[in-house]
Every structure is written in structure tokens, then in C-alpha cells.
């Protein structure tokens, strides 16, 4: 895979407050450049939600209401997040969740395309008992020595781990077009156009 042929791509991850629909409490956007995560230009935001973080959500990501009380509200950072995302491709693990939540919070934003490492993993590692991020980290053993120290289920860490997972699986494909043919969920931005059948007149 020639990574120099890739369009602008950011690996994203979001964490919510446990409500339905969720309010955002953390967003991470990690650019991939020349086949490497570019932490120097990554975006990361902690957000004070309008509704309290539920106990269930706290058990997952550890972001309590006390931790977030001095963070900005979404309205204060929304423009920054949209500027960082721009019209780039995005990638995530089970990315339809991240895309749906971001789109609900940024109705005027639309990525060029959407890559799902869950879809890639199901193709690359057939027969695994689980395709969750923890299971795939165990399977592929990516280099996480430079990952943020916050740990799993925090947006910055999960974005970094997902980036390494993406790059490991991308090496199985010769071209970008081959990759996205597998990786873009149907109906999502960037999905290849289906081939039209020849018509006899």
C-alpha cells in the first residue's frame, strides 16, 4: 500500500454521557499522514454535557461530572471540531456510531468518506470470537507505546489504537480503492458506486 496516495484522513472516536441520544463528553480526531498517526496535529476536546454523565458511562470511560465541570460546553468547541474534521475522510471502529453522533452535533458537516475498521477486521481476520477493539488489539498487538496514557475507552487512546489497527490491515491491500471497497459501510459517504449493468437497446 502506497500511503502517499491516501486522501486526508482522520481517525475519530467519541465518548458520551450515557443518555439516549448521547451528549458528547470527549472527541478525538487523529490525522494519518504517510502511514503514521500524526499526534502533533491531533484534535482532542473534553466537553461539559448539558445533562449529567450517567453512572454507567462513568464506569466505561471514567469521565465524571466533576472532571468535566470546568470543560467548555459543546457550543464553545463545535466550530473548532468542524474545522479540524473539514471535508476529510474519517475512520473509526464501528464508525457508524461515531459518524451518527458527530453528524447529530454538526448537522452542516459531511466527511468525504467513512472507513470502518470493524468491517476491515471481519474481512482480514475471519473466524475470531470477537471483533471488539480489545480483542483486535490482542490479535494484532499494535505498537501502542506512544498512545495517550489515559487508557482504553478514552477517545484519544481509542483513536490511536484504531489508527494502528487500520494501518496494520491496510497493508493487505495494494490500492486505496481496494481498501475502501471493503471498508466503507453501505450507504455511508464514500461508498463506491455500484457497477451498472450493460443495457441492450
Amino acid at each position: 500500500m502506497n500511503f502517499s496516495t491516501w486522501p486526508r484522513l482522520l481517525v475519530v472516536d467519541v465518548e458520551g454521557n450515557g443518555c439516549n441520544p448521547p451528549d458528547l463528553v470527549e472527541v478525538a480526531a487523529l490525522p494519518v499522514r504517510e502511514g503514521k498517526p500524526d499526534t502533533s496535529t491531533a484534535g482532542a476536546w473534553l466537553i461539559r454535557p448539558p445533562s449529567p454523565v450517567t453512572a454507567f458511562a462513568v464506569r466505561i470511560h471514567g469521565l465524571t461530572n466533576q472532571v468535566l465541570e470546568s470543560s467548555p460546553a459543546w457550543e464553545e468547541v463545535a466550530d473548532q471540531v468542524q474545522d479540524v474534521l473539514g471535508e476529510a475522510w474519517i475512520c473509526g471502529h464501528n464508525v457508524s456510531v461515531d459518524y451518527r453522533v458527530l453528524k447529530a452535533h454538526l448537522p452542516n458537516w459531511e466527511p468525504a468518506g467513512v472507513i470502518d475498521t470493524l468491517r476491515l477486521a471481519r474481512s482480514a481476520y475471519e473466524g475470531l470470537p470477537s471483533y471488539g477493539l480489545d480483542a483486535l488489539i490482542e490479535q494484532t498487538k499494535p505498537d501502542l507505546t506512544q498512545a495517550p496514557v489515559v487508557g482504553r475507552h478514552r477517545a484519544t487512546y481509542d483513536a490511536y489504537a484504531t489508527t494502528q489497527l487500520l494501518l496494520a490491515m491496510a497493508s493487505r491491500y495494494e490500492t486505496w480503492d481496494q481498501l475502501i471497497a471493503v471498508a466503507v459501510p453501505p450507504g455511508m459517504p464514500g461508498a463506491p458506486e455500484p457497477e451498472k449493468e450493460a443495457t441492450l437497446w
Side-chain angles (χ1 to χ4, degrees):
M1 172 66 76
N2 181 0
F3 291 107
S4 67
T5 64
W6 283 27
R8 183 167 177 260
L9 171 70
L10 297 104
V11 178
V12 301
D13 192 77
V14 303
E15 302 296 336
N17 66 338
C19 295
N20 189 19
D23 296 313
L24 289 168
V25 298
E26 189 176 28
V27 177
L30 178 59
V32 178
R33 303 185 196 280
E34 297 296 327
K36 296 178 182 178
D38 182 6
T39 55
S40 67
T41 61
W45 300 267
L46 287 176
I47 301 143
R48 183 182 73 253
S51 299
V53 183
T54 66
F56 175 77
V58 170
R59 286 196 297 273
I60 293 174
H61 51 56
L63 291 168
T64 65
N65 295 296
Q66 290 72 27
V67 167
L68 297 168
E69 63 183 358
S70 60
S71 297
W74 174 249
E75 293 74 17
E76 298 174 69
V77 300
D79 288 346
Q80 297 175 31
V81 176
Q82 184 155 341
D83 285 347
V84 169
L85 295 174
E87 297 179 353
W89 282 72
I90 65 166
C91 172
H93 196 67
N94 196 14
V95 73
S96 59
V97 175
D98 304 275
Y99 170 75
R100 193 165 55 245
V101 174
L102 284 168
K103 184 67 176 172
H105 285 75
L106 297 170
N108 296 322
W109 163 74
E110 188 71 10
V114 176
I115 287 177
D116 190 358
T117 51
L118 177 59
R119 288 179 64 84
L120 276 176
R122 285 175 172 158
S123 175
Y125 308 116
E126 294 183 8
L128 294 184
S130 171
Y131 290 92
L133 193 54
D134 284 321
L136 291 168
I137 289 172
E138 179 63 27
Q139 171 73 22
T140 62
K141 296 183 170 33
D143 181 4
L144 300 178
T145 56
Q146 301 301 312
V149 296
V150 289
R152 271 285 282 124
H153 298 295
R154 289 290 302 276
T156 51
Y157 185 97
D158 287 3
Y160 190 94
T162 301
T163 300
Q164 298 292 51
L165 180 62
L166 168 67
L167 295 172
M169 293 188 292
S171 64
R172 295 169 172 257
Y173 300 90
E174 292 184 5
T175 67
W176 170 259
D177 287 344
Q178 290 175 357
L179 175 74
I180 65 171
V182 176
V184 180
M188 286 281 184
E193 292 289 334
E195 292 186 9
K196 295 181 179 179
E197 295 184 6
T199 303
L200 296 177
W201 296 94

